Structure formats: structure tokens, C-alpha cells
Amino acid sequence: MGDVAPDLEGFCGVISARRSDDVLGEWAVGLADRTAGAPNTPATRFGLASGTKTFTALTTLSLIGDGLLQQDTPAREILQDDLPLIADDVTIDHLLSHTSGIGDYLDEEVDALAPLSVPVQSLDSTPAYLPMLEGFPTKFRAGERFSYCNGGYVVLAIIAERASGTPFADLVRARVFEPAGMASTGFPRSDLLPPGTATGYRDDGRTNVFELPVVGSGDGGAHSTVGDLHRFWVALLAGRIVDPALVALLTERVTADAGDGLGYGRGVWLDGEDLAIVGGDHGVVAVSRHHPPTATTVTGLANAEVPTFVRVRELMSAIRAGGVGGAE
């Protein structure tokens, strides 16, 4: 395994490094449930926050592959009378690539951790998000620039439900989680977490149960494990989830620099050769990086707001330099 390990000071969660079928190293720190004293383990499920968007994008692309949607399908065609402030020129592809210009219920260019405008317990299905998405005027013409948009991915979930006739969580399970063998991944209720799931904790020590929707949708709320995320990357790039042509669309660099030197495709962040899932919210941090040439995944999942992105990037760099698990 080499002599390289991540900096774990102040960390609370799990960091994992895997290559193909081999576990190069896994480090579990802190408590999944502070009341019960249950420790985090490599099998613990963690919230993914915006990491969910990768699965939403892939589900949407699978519907495109089946002919139920097209990249240039106007959102208005599916939404009909709902969300009338979404402009006529906004397409599925604009929503996938964060270039739609629609107004956002949680605009990260203004405040990434703003409180929700509706009671979190009311958000128990994807259609229930519609009132929260209402009333936000267009920011710019579709295709003009990149602007990260949480609401756009909830709109994608609404569109996917309507195009398929299947509830969003069931749709993602059938089209992504099951083909990838992700048996520990899903959309649990935050007030009824399954055994082995980490509770998210705010900086003041309280849980995040009053901060996030009770059931996630297209922009967040999936829970997963470090092992399942590695299985996801391997299955994705092997063509077991969608056709390789759709994988190419997912990972195509639509925006060269979307911030912090990272490019963006359609639901996936791009950093050099690495593909990345990234999410963060109250009591949740999730980063999973995959290096396709070596089938190496480094994932950091945390149930507290602790620096994780840099830890994961540095560990991936060390592995690729030969410090963990041998040289490439």
C-alpha cells in the first residue's frame, strides 16, 4: 500500500483508494451517529449532496438513448404550463451543462447555503419541488455562459419523470444504480435513514435534518458508499450503464473552466484526466475522483463540513506518482 496516507486531522468520514478490483487503502474516521456512538466504516452510507447530479445527468442521457428525449428537446415542451418563467430557448442540453440561464432557487453565485423557501418536510417527491422552483426570472439567454444551477437539475428530474412515466428515484435506481451494482445507493428519507447511514452534522453539532429536503431529487439527496462509487465509475466506463456514445456526452468538456480550474461536462467535473463527482451541503461533503487510464478511484465522503476535495486530489496525485499501491 506504500507509505502515503491522507491527512486525517479534523476529518470525519471515509477516504478510499481503489484500483480495478483492489483496495489500495481505506481510512474511516469519526462517528456516523454521535448519539449512538456508531463509528464511520468503509461500508457506511453518506449523503452525496450535489454529487447526485451525475446520476441525474446519466439518467437523462439514458432517456435520450432510448428516444424518449433529445438533447435539443425544449424544456417547455415537457413542462407545459408549469414553471412559466423558464424561457422557450432552454433545452435539455442547456440544463445538463448548466448553461440554461434559468433562475435558481439556490443560486450558488449568491449564497450556496441559503435556507430553503418551503418546509423541508414538504419536499417528499420530485413533483413537490415545483412550488420551490417558481418565480425566478431568467438570468441570461440559454447557452450564453456556464452558471451552476441546482434548480436546473430538479427540472431535469421533473422532465425525466414525465418522459418515462416513472418516479425519479425508481428511474435512477433502474437505469443507473442497478446496472452498476450499487446495492447500497439510493434516495432515503432523511427522517428514516436505513441502518449503516451516517447522520450529517452542522458546525454547531446539530444534525442537518431541518436543513435539507426530506427526500432528494435531481440536484441532491442520494446516499452511497465509497465502494459503490468505485463500482459506478468502472461500470460507467465499461458501457454497462449506457452506450459509450452517451458516456462520451457525459464526459465531454462543454465548459473548459467552470471555476477553480475545473472543466464541466454534463453532470461531471473534469480535472485533467480525472473525472469527478463533487457535492457539499449542510453536514455533507462528497468527492469521488476517477482516473480512467488506470481505473483508479479516490473517494472522500464526510458527514461534517470538513475539507475533503483537496485531500482526495492530493491522495490521487500520490497514487499516480507511485506512493500508494505502486506506480502506474
Side-chain angles (χ1 to χ4, degrees):
M1 191 169 64
D3 57 0
V4 175
D7 173 15
L8 299 175
E9 184 177 356
F11 188 71
C12 184
V14 178
I15 296 178
S16 171
R18 299 185 179 215
R19 179 181 296 146
S20 297
D21 295 330
D22 298 327
V23 177
L24 305 181
E26 286 183 330
W27 301 265
V29 182
L31 296 178
D33 185 325
R34 297 177 186 177
T35 302
N40 285 316
T41 75
T44 301
R45 298 178 178 93
F46 291 84
L48 301 183
S50 286
T52 305
K53 291 182 176 71
T54 302
F55 308 135
T56 302
L58 193 55
T59 299
T60 304
L61 289 171
S62 78
L63 295 176
I64 290 172
D66 286 351
L68 296 176
L69 293 170
Q70 297 179 359
Q71 282 180 260
D72 61 358
T73 297
R76 288 254 56 84
E77 181 178 307
I78 309 298
L79 294 173
Q80 298 295 315
D81 294 334
D82 289 321
L83 306 179
L85 294 184
I86 293 181
D88 293 343
D89 60 348
V90 174
T91 67
I92 300 298
D93 205 47
H94 290 132
L95 294 168
L96 285 169
S97 58
H98 293 293
T99 58
S100 68
I102 70 171
D104 195 359
Y105 82 94
L106 184 59
D107 193 333
E108 299 198 9
E109 295 181 344
V110 178
D111 184 355
L113 295 176
L116 300 181
S117 62
V118 301
V120 296
Q121 65 269 24
S122 71
L123 299 172
D124 59 0
S125 68
T126 291
Y129 283 69
L130 276 167
M132 190 174 66
L133 302 177
E134 291 277 10
F136 297 97
T138 295
K139 292 173 62 175
F140 55 84
R141 184 176 178 81
E144 183 177 299
R145 64 180 177 90
F146 177 93
S147 180
Y148 191 83
C149 185
N150 289 287
Y153 266 69
V154 182
V155 173
L156 282 173
I158 292 167
I159 289 171
E161 277 201 357
R162 294 183 180 183
S164 66
T166 303
F168 181 69
D170 295 339
L171 189 65
V172 181
R173 182 179 66 249
R175 289 180 175 262
V176 179
F177 300 155
E178 289 179 353
M182 300 169 72
S184 296
T185 304
F187 287 86
R189 288 183 63 97
S190 64
D191 59 354
L192 191 63
L193 293 174
T197 303
T199 297
Y201 292 95
R202 307 184 334 167
D203 287 344
D204 62 6
R206 298 180 181 181
T207 76
N208 61 3
V209 69
F210 295 126
E211 309 292 342
L212 305 178
V214 68
V215 177
S217 184
D219 67 337
H223 286 59
S224 191
T225 66
V226 292
D228 268 8
L229 290 173
H230 178 61
R231 281 184 276 276
F232 166 74
W233 290 118
V234 173
L236 173 72
L237 296 172
R240 297 203 301 269
I241 304 176
V242 294
D243 186 85
L246 296 172
V247 177
L249 283 176
L250 184 82
T251 59
E252 178 186 9
R253 192 177 295 265
V254 181
T255 298
D257 186 355
D260 297 325
L262 300 175
Y264 199 82
R266 294 175 174 88
V268 174
W269 295 92
L270 309 166
D271 189 5
E273 291 184 306
D274 289 355
L275 308 174
I277 293 171
V278 180
D281 211 327
H282 300 275
V284 181
V285 187
V287 183
S288 185
R289 295 175 73 102
H290 186 76
H291 183 240
T294 58
T296 301
T297 306
V298 177
T299 298
L301 302 178
N303 60 325
E305 294 164 46
V306 292
T308 304
F309 185 88
V310 172
R311 285 180 164 103
V312 168
R313 181 169 57 189
E314 289 178 349
L315 182 56
M316 178 67 88
S317 295
I319 292 170
R320 290 172 60 183
V324 178
E328 293 180 11

